[in-house]
Amino acid sequence: MELFYLSAHEAARLLQNKEISAVELTREILKRIEQVEDKVKAFVTLTPEKALEQAKAVDEARARGENLGPLAGVPMALKDNLCTEGIRTTCSSKMLENWIPPYDAFVVRKLREAGAILVGKCNMDEFAMGSSTENSRFFPTRNPWDLDRVPGGSSGGSAAAVAAGEAFFALGSDTGGSIRQPASFCGVVGLKPTYGRVSRYGLVAFASSLDQIGPLTRDVTDCALVLQAIAGHDPLDSTSADLPVPDYLAALRQDIKGLKIGVPKEYFGPGMDREVVSVVRQAIDRLSDLGAFCEETSLPHTEYALPAYYLVAPAEASSNLARYDGVAYGFRLPGKDVVDMYMKTRREGFGAEVKRRIMLGTYALSAGYYDAYYLKALKVRTLIRRDFDQAFEKYDVLVTPTSPTVAFRLGERVGDPLAMYMSDLCTIPVNMAGLPAISIPCGFAQGLPVGLQIIAKPFAEEILFRVAYTFEQATGNFRRWPEI
Amino acid sequence: MEYEAVIGLEVHVELKTASKAFCSCSTAFGAPPNTQVCPVCLGLPGVLPVINRQMVEFGIKTALALNCSIAPICKFDRKNYYYPDLPKNYQISQYDLPLARDGYLEIEVDGVKKRVGIIRVHMEEDAGKLIHGEEPGADYSLVDYNRAGVPLLEIVSAPDLRSPDEARAYMEKLKAILEYLEVSDCKMQEGSLRCDANVSVRPKGSTVFGTKTEVKNLNSFRALHRALSYEIERQISLLERGERIIQETRAWDEQRQVTYSLRSKEEAHDYRYFPEPDLVPLAIGEEWIERVRSTLPELPDARRERLIKDYGLPEYDARVITGSKALADYFEKAVSLFPDPKQVSNWLMGDFMRLLNAKGLEPQEAPVPPENLAELLKLQQEGTISIRIAKEVLEEMFATGRGAREIVEAKGLTQITDVAQLTAIVEKVLAAHPKVVEDYRKGKEKALGFLVGQVMKETRGKANPNLVNQLLKERL
Amino acid sequence: MPLSREEVEHVALLARLYLSEEEKEAYTKQLNAILEYMEKLNALNTEGVEPTAHVLPLRNVFREDVVKPGLPREKALKGAPATREGQFEVPRVV
């Protein structure tokens, strides 16, 4: 197999055994990027010189016999809403096209410390608002499995980079499915950790009460490895949980005998592609074969999650994005006075979807509508959480499709926001409840990857890894890579 | 018709924590622009706030001193509005669940005591500072974010105040309490204590409220008093002309001594408050409250009573002295070294305050520490210097920071009490002014004063006045 | 239509966005479609249900009152579109 399609932990083993150097591995990835990037367009910014410098430093440290982490020397990519000191962080927006952060995000610092090598910053839907990466203000990213299709979004660049062999792993962010849905579309593993498991410090905020950073990886072991590196308490994020980080690698056991798995029927109803449903049902049968007890259950408020989400998330976003005004950083268009400057700057700086959500969120919070929209949505959020709480009294995990469909064609849903929003039907409830969920490849429909979503209760990432790992080991054939 | 004013004050006080409300930048005043900033208080993309524990503790302390109930659960909210001094274009504040509610403080105006309600006390962050280009035609403003994120308490009074005098008394009392608590510098000129007023008028005896205006920019006690007086007059004359009062925000123009409408082209205020998702709620338990309560210092009212009781000060003196914690501290320290309370109080309320005000200083900043004042008073008491010299020496002490004895000795100001030495000078003066001597002997009493003055002039004020009188009379 | 064109204009002003005529048209239509979809929520009785603003039951997360160095001024001003005398420059605020 090509080096660039090794999993991160396989690559790490080669590095540790000194069968390959970090510089060689990085060159390999940079070469691959050169070959396919024109077609895939996964990156907004590439950092080849910095990557090679960093790789050289890792090799030197290894030669000195220093004790290096499991990711030392492994090339990776970051979604371009994670702040990197000295490297521009654009959120794929004209607003931040030339903004260079003076600080590193918590996760970036953690990965630097772990010795992972940054090869570039990945394209995304502008400010993480979208499900196809078509809302990037720069260019759309293509799905490596079919270049006429979208990679999903908003972490589409991160998913595509991993699927195309342009990075061994990537980080994304997930507010309503932005890691899991593109992971599903691109046939990679994607994890949204429990809200509070990973610090959000340095993640450019979209909807603060929903945002969470997570890995996109080639396999489940990599996913556990990367989460291990980035999880943990951060005093700079008041919403990060001060809980010990378990040994996630130890959770990778091939054993799900006797586990109780709930299959919520609402995720298999109208709006779901029949072929996708059928592939997911086969995967569930497989889990039964492996010894789990699978049973249909119900999360009755599921249908309310999407409308509630599209009030909560835009409301928070309208406030989070107020700071982009052309005063202290970022894009500015001059105006005849301050208000004129603000309005011109924001008209030009933001794209259509961002403006649409700012409008929606501003309206939902405005005088006279707060109770009817925002407060109502927060109450519905409580009902959604309760559904899950009840389900987890009975089941260890819940499984669903990650997305109602396989990757759709570029342009197919542009201009129909509601149709685009439906793409996150299965992932949004998880964010509303703050739960951890993983998407793993579980088969193909129309020759395109299908993702299986596994959901657990808060801070139970270990059981996600256990189920996912068991499934992956039993069905290794889904780990295929696209011809580009 | 006779009208009465209805006034409520919203006071913003900067808390003197070492670091800002939600980040670790210094709060020190007066640093060069944008040198006390970090990604958090600049509102850079991706940053998150973390609550400064000391801010909350100061908030609890203040709320307790104002007799408020501390909320068992409170939270922060975002107040959304666009202004260039606000880095995130929202202010982290508290909306429907403030830190504390339902307190009061007591004021006294013209001998009448009155309880003024405190509706709420909440925590929030300060904004930055805008400076407008000053040269002619300057079309720009400049923003300094050093102050952005400094913790503030907003203290909202009930509309219980009925006159500018009451409003001033309320502010003075509140300032004194805050100083006693040592939670703020309370420097109005530096903006660490600021005040907005809600004002309306109504026919005396009415129980309904008139239309109110909000007056901003009241940055001194004098401005507060004058602006309120002006605004009340303005509203009454509008009503008397049969016109309506427009509910609006106005500002006090210090130069022109008027309030003027801040007609902004901004849309009606819609702050779109919602819970700050980046901060978790506060649950302030009884334990914390009781611990803070046990650290509450003696407050102005209690101290005033104590000064009356323990030192026998008149009520008036005690009120003036305890109006400032620093002054009261100074007083007690000085009295411990020079145990004549009334003397100390007289000096403090007189020359000391005059010299202090002339320099624009607070008592704790006085170049004359209490030890030095006590020394001065001792010198005067034991007769080493006269009162007149003592006053001169105090001025010198303020000017140079030197000690009383040092100045007296260096300048040779010690009082002349040597009879032989003074007799010689007295005789010299008598010989030089035979006409005046004659006048006196003819019964012109005033002539004696002139002669004393001449002796004083000869001795540059150092002669003991009693002795001079005595010696002169003997010879006349 | 819960949202009129005038309201769209008002909301755009609150959000400091200039909208073209076409955008006003399009947003009015799209936002109404979205809000109509939201109407679904009204079918749900939420009386007595506590709102969830935070999913984690965290309370009292503080930092100690310790000063740490921030950014040097040149770094703080580096990304600014316009600066003057160590400050951020904006069109005159009257």
Side-chain angles (χ1 to χ4, degrees):
Chain A
M1 190 161 78
E2 309 277 9
L3 274 179
F4 52 76
Y5 269 134
L6 291 178
S7 65
H9 67 94
E10 288 161 349
R13 206 186 49 230
L14 294 183
L15 287 163
Q16 276 151 22
N17 297 341
K18 300 187 181 169
E19 289 172 48
I20 191 167
S21 71
V23 168
E24 285 166 331
L25 195 62
T26 304
R27 286 224 169 92
E28 193 68 24
I29 287 293
L30 294 176
K31 204 170 84 196
R32 173 66 174 175
I33 291 173
E34 217 162 278
Q35 284 165 357
V36 300
E37 179 56 12
D38 276 355
K39 295 175 189 159
V40 179
K41 308 287 276 176
F43 290 94
V44 169
T45 304
L46 286 165
T47 54
E49 295 88 6
K50 281 194 162 93
L52 286 168
E53 244 170 68
Q54 220 189 331
K56 203 169 147 236
V58 169
D59 286 338
E60 285 165 4
R62 205 184 297 283
R64 286 194 300 270
E66 280 179 34
N67 199 9
L68 299 177
L71 293 172
V74 179
M76 56 109 182
L78 295 170
K79 188 175 182 177
D80 208 19
N81 58 355
L82 295 167
C83 288
T84 41
E85 184 172 353
I87 300 168
R88 74 173 181 153
T89 298
T90 69
C91 292
S92 289
S93 178
K94 188 166 179 177
M95 198 59 102
L96 293 176
E97 190 168 358
N98 299 306
W99 182 62
I100 298 172
Y103 76 104
D104 272 336
F106 176 86
V107 292
V108 174
R109 186 159 54 79
K110 287 290 227 178
L111 286 176
R112 281 193 205 277
E113 283 165 10
I117 288 165
L118 177 66
V119 295
K121 305 287 299 281
C122 293
N123 198 20
M124 55 187 280
D125 286 299
E126 185 180 15
F127 284 103
M129 296 178 187
S131 310
S132 68
T133 314
E134 290 165 294
N135 293 335
S136 165
R137 294 297 295 285
F138 306 137
F139 44 78
T141 296
R142 311 278 173 153
N143 191 317
W145 291 89
D146 178 348
L147 296 174
D148 291 333
R149 289 177 188 267
V150 301
S154 65
S155 312
S158 297
V162 174
E166 297 181 278
F168 287 100
F169 69 92
L171 291 189
S173 67
D174 190 316
T175 306
S178 282
I179 289 173
R180 291 159 289 156
Q181 184 255 23
S184 154
F185 279 16
C186 293
V188 300
V189 174
L191 171 75
K192 183 202 95 74
T194 309
Y195 186 83
R197 180 74 286 182
V198 178
S199 167
R200 294 183 291 117
Y201 191 80
L203 164 67
V204 180
F206 160 14
S208 314
S209 79
L210 301 158
D211 296 342
Q212 192 62 194
I213 299 165
L216 291 117
T217 59
R218 300 259 164 79
D219 64 22
V220 176
T221 306
D222 285 3
C223 192
L225 254 180
V226 177
L227 181 63
Q228 197 80 54
I230 63 171
H233 179 240
D234 176 7
L236 292 181
D237 177 359
S238 305
T239 64
S240 96
D242 195 359
L243 294 172
V245 180
D247 181 350
Y248 292 123
L249 287 175
L252 300 172
R253 286 196 283 138
Q254 275 192 70
D255 170 25
I256 55 168
K257 281 195 191 67
L259 277 193
K260 293 204 184 92
I261 296 179
V263 183
K265 63 179 185 205
E266 290 80 7
Y267 289 73
F268 295 83
M272 304 298 295
D273 180 90
R274 279 179 49 204
E275 273 187 75
V276 167
V277 165
S278 141
V279 169
V280 170
R281 289 235 182 257
Q282 283 168 37
I284 294 167
D285 290 344
R286 199 65 198 266
L287 290 171
S288 298
D289 296 344
L290 291 164
F293 171 77
C294 300
E295 182 181 66
E296 188 178 275
T297 183
S298 172
L299 299 167
H301 294 99
T302 301
E303 62 172 313
Y304 303 107
L306 192 73
Y309 171 88
Y310 275 100
L311 291 168
V312 175
E316 291 183 12
S318 71
S319 174
N320 283 331
L321 272 64
R323 70 189 65 195
Y324 306 108
D325 59 4
V327 173
Y329 49 81
F331 176 73
R332 171 192 287 194
L333 269 187
K336 63 180 194 304
D337 55 38
V338 164
V339 175
D340 190 45
M341 178 191 88
Y342 285 162
M343 296 184 75
K344 281 182 175 150
T345 297
R346 292 166 64 79
R347 176 184 63 197
E348 292 297 310
F350 291 137
E353 180 61 23
V354 171
K355 283 190 266 193
R356 184 155 42 235
R357 295 203 198 183
I358 290 174
M359 292 283 292
L360 185 55
T362 303
Y363 178 68
L365 289 176
S366 65
Y369 299 102
Y370 181 88
D371 286 3
Y373 288 114
Y374 188 71
L375 190 64
K376 179 86 183 180
L378 292 188
K379 289 179 174 181
V380 172
R381 197 169 176 186
T382 305
L383 298 175
I384 293 162
R385 282 177 67 192
R386 282 189 199 159
D387 279 1
F388 281 111
D389 287 348
Q390 277 161 20
F392 287 121
E393 280 172 21
K394 208 167 163 195
Y395 304 106
D396 297 298
V397 295
L398 301 171
V399 297
T400 76
T402 304
S403 175
T405 65
V406 291
F408 44 87
R409 288 181 189 285
L410 266 95
E412 197 179 307
R413 298 188 185 181
V414 174
D416 185 355
L418 264 180
M420 189 69 94
Y421 298 171
M422 293 297 171
S423 188
D424 297 326
L425 207 56
C426 306
T427 45
I428 276 173
V430 172
N431 297 78
M432 292 295 271
L435 305 172
I438 194 168
S439 176
I440 55 170
C442 73
F444 293 84
Q446 303 151 39
L448 293 164
V450 173
L452 174 73
Q453 175 172 245
I454 313 169
I455 309 165
K457 59 182 150 193
F459 301 101
E461 280 82 0
E462 287 166 284
I463 196 148
L464 292 183
F465 288 136
R466 183 171 152 201
V467 176
Y469 184 73
T470 305
F471 182 85
E472 179 188 76
Q473 294 303 307
T475 60
N477 55 325
F478 301 133
R479 282 187 58 210
R480 294 210 309 254
W481 303 114
E483 296 288 327
I484 303 169
Chain B
M1 197 188 307
E2 209 184 329
Y3 289 91
E4 74 170 357
V6 176
I7 303 163
L9 296 184
E10 278 178 29
V11 173
H12 287 92
V13 54
E14 280 187 354
L15 297 175
K16 59 173 177 191
T17 52
S19 63
K20 292 186 179 179
F22 303 112
C23 68
S24 303
C25 286
S26 167
T27 58
F29 181 81
N34 298 305
T35 54
Q36 289 171 357
V37 295
C38 74
V40 176
C41 56
L42 285 173
L44 295 189
V47 298
L48 299 169
V50 186
I51 302 168
N52 183 339
R53 186 196 298 275
Q54 190 64 54
M55 161 176 71
V56 181
E57 180 125 352
F58 280 165
I60 297 171
K61 204 169 177 182
T62 305
L64 290 175
L66 297 174
N67 309 294
C68 293
S69 337
I70 309 287
I73 294 278
C74 74
K75 66 177 170 80
F76 285 96
D77 299 276
R78 290 188 187 174
K79 179 180 183 179
N80 294 283
Y81 65 96
Y82 284 83
Y83 211 68
D85 62 6
L86 201 59
K88 305 181 290 291
N89 285 321
Y90 60 79
Q91 179 192 31
I92 303 179
S93 180
Q94 297 192 286
Y95 183 52
D96 54 337
L97 295 175
L99 174 68
R101 294 181 198 265
D102 297 332
Y104 63 86
L105 65 72
E106 227 167 50
I107 57 168
E108 188 174 327
V109 173
D110 300 332
V112 182
K113 285 194 172 133
K114 178 170 182 172
R115 196 174 262 205
V116 182
I118 307 277
I119 296 176
R120 58 185 277 154
V121 175
H122 78 242
M123 300 173 281
E124 60 187 26
E125 58 178 339
D126 209 345
K129 201 169 76 181
L130 268 172
I131 298 156
H132 310 298
E134 273 171 8
E135 68 271 22
D139 56 352
Y140 63 90
S141 298
L142 301 175
V143 201
D144 169 12
Y145 289 120
N146 281 351
R147 206 179 65 183
V150 169
L152 290 178
L153 283 187
E154 181 176 315
I155 300 165
V156 183
S157 87
D160 290 346
L161 302 162
R162 292 290 172 271
S163 68
D165 284 351
E166 287 189 6
R168 184 167 58 193
Y170 170 86
M171 264 309 269
E172 282 170 350
K173 188 58 170 290
L174 183 57
K175 179 172 186 267
I177 291 173
L178 294 164
E179 284 174 350
Y180 273 65
L181 296 172
E182 301 185 310
V183 297
S184 173
D185 287 334
C186 291
K187 290 187 183 164
M188 294 183 92
Q189 70 279 14
E190 288 178 9
S192 62
L193 183 65
R194 312 197 282 269
C195 174
D196 300 334
N198 285 304
V199 195
S200 63
V201 295
R202 63 183 176 191
K204 200 153 191 161
S206 166
T207 51
V208 293
F209 293 123
T211 305
K212 69 175 180 187
T213 60
E214 187 185 4
V215 185
K216 291 190 173 289
N217 203 21
L218 307 174
N219 293 330
S220 66
F221 292 125
R222 199 209 316 220
L224 172 70
H225 197 270
R226 291 197 175 168
L228 287 175
S229 304
Y230 177 89
E231 183 60 17
I232 292 163
E233 279 308 306
R234 189 188 71 88
Q235 292 191 10
I236 290 173
S237 65
L238 276 175
L239 292 181
E240 283 181 337
R241 288 203 303 271
E243 291 176 39
R244 292 173 63 104
I245 291 157
I246 303 161
Q247 181 161 353
E248 62 181 350
T249 303
R250 302 176 69 83
W252 173 241
D253 185 329
E254 188 68 50
Q255 241 102 63
R256 295 188 297 140
Q257 298 279 303
V258 295
T259 67
Y260 62 97
S261 175
L262 289 172
R263 267 182 307 268
S264 72
K265 52 188 159 176
E266 202 170 329
E267 73 286 6
H269 287 301
D270 187 345
Y271 291 130
R272 289 160 285 134
Y273 283 101
F274 74 104
E276 166 58 278
D278 291 330
L279 293 173
V280 301
L282 302 183
I284 298 167
E286 277 306 310
E287 210 178 301
W288 193 0
I289 295 172
E290 288 317 311
R291 193 169 52 70
V292 175
R293 199 191 299 279
S294 72
T295 68
L296 282 182
E298 182 184 41
L299 293 173
D301 288 348
R303 195 166 195 180
R304 189 185 66 226
E305 292 312 312
R306 186 166 60 79
L307 293 199
I308 294 170
K309 197 165 144 278
D310 292 3
Y311 297 101
L313 280 190
E315 158 102 23
Y316 174 80
D317 291 36
R319 182 177 301 282
V320 173
I321 299 275
T322 57
S324 147
K325 176 179 186 291
L327 190 61
D329 288 347
Y330 194 106
F331 169 81
E332 293 206 71
K333 178 76 188 165
V335 168
S336 74
L337 300 164
F338 182 77
D340 182 344
K342 182 57 187 158
Q343 266 283 61
V344 174
S345 152
N346 286 348
W347 276 87
L348 285 184
M349 295 194 303
D351 289 67
F352 181 84
M353 284 311 290
R354 179 178 57 79
L355 291 165
L356 204 58
N357 289 338
K359 283 201 153 194
L361 296 175
E362 299 292 323
Q364 67 272 27
E365 298 165 338
V368 179
E371 293 78 7
N372 292 9
L373 182 70
E375 187 184 53
L376 177 72
L377 299 193
K378 256 184 227 160
L379 288 173
Q380 189 240 321
Q381 191 189 43
E382 65 199 28
T384 309
I385 54 173
S386 65
I387 293 207
R388 224 192 87 198
I389 293 290
K391 288 183 183 224
E392 274 176 40
V393 172
L394 185 63
E395 297 217 11
E396 186 74 17
M397 289 163 78
F398 260 86
T400 62
R402 287 159 69 198
R405 191 174 294 279
E406 195 188 337
I407 293 170
V408 168
E409 281 169 6
K411 296 203 154 187
L413 296 174
T414 308
Q415 190 160 273
I416 303 169
T417 48
D418 182 85
V419 176
Q421 194 188 346
L422 273 186
T423 304
I425 297 166
V426 164
E427 286 182 346
K428 192 174 143 204
V429 166
L430 291 177
H433 301 282
K435 175 115 187 5
V436 183
V437 172
E438 204 166 311
D439 284 353
Y440 179 78
R441 288 187 175 138
K442 282 181 186 158
K444 205 170 169 193
E445 292 277 326
K446 271 189 188 166
L448 183 64
F450 173 79
L451 293 170
V452 171
Q454 289 306 307
V455 175
M456 284 308 199
K457 199 175 162 192
E458 281 292 315
T459 58
R460 285 186 296 139
K462 292 186 293 182
N464 179 319
N466 290 334
L467 199 54
V468 172
N469 260 300
Q470 192 196 320
L471 290 174
L472 277 170
K473 279 186 182 161
E474 280 171 17
R475 274 155 191 75
L476 289 164
Chain C
M1 297 251 287
L3 190 59
S4 70
R5 196 187 152 97
E6 288 68 39
E7 277 179 293
V8 167
E9 286 172 1
H10 174 68
V11 171
L13 180 62
L14 278 178
R16 294 292 187 261
L17 288 168
Y18 279 131
L19 297 183
S20 66
E21 289 307 306
E22 298 80 58
E23 280 175 313
K24 283 179 196 166
E25 197 71 38
Y27 282 144
T28 307
K29 230 185 261 166
Q30 288 168 348
L31 291 181
N32 273 303
I34 296 165
L35 290 170
E36 250 164 65
Y37 177 66
M38 308 296 183
E39 293 296 313
K40 207 180 168 89
L41 296 178
N42 293 332
L44 213 50
N45 183 3
T46 51
E47 225 180 275
V49 177
E50 279 296 307
T52 296
H54 288 93
V55 286
L56 294 178
L58 290 172
R59 295 276 187 276
N60 295 355
V61 177
F62 299 115
R63 38 169 279 272
E64 298 310 318
D65 185 23
V66 177
V67 174
K68 291 181 189 161
L71 291 173
R73 177 153 81 184
E74 20 140 17
K75 233 174 157 181
L77 295 173
K78 199 170 170 221
T83 61
R84 188 193 284 245
E85 296 155 30
Q87 293 166 86
F88 298 93
E89 185 183 332
V90 295
R92 191 175 184 90
V93 182
V94 186

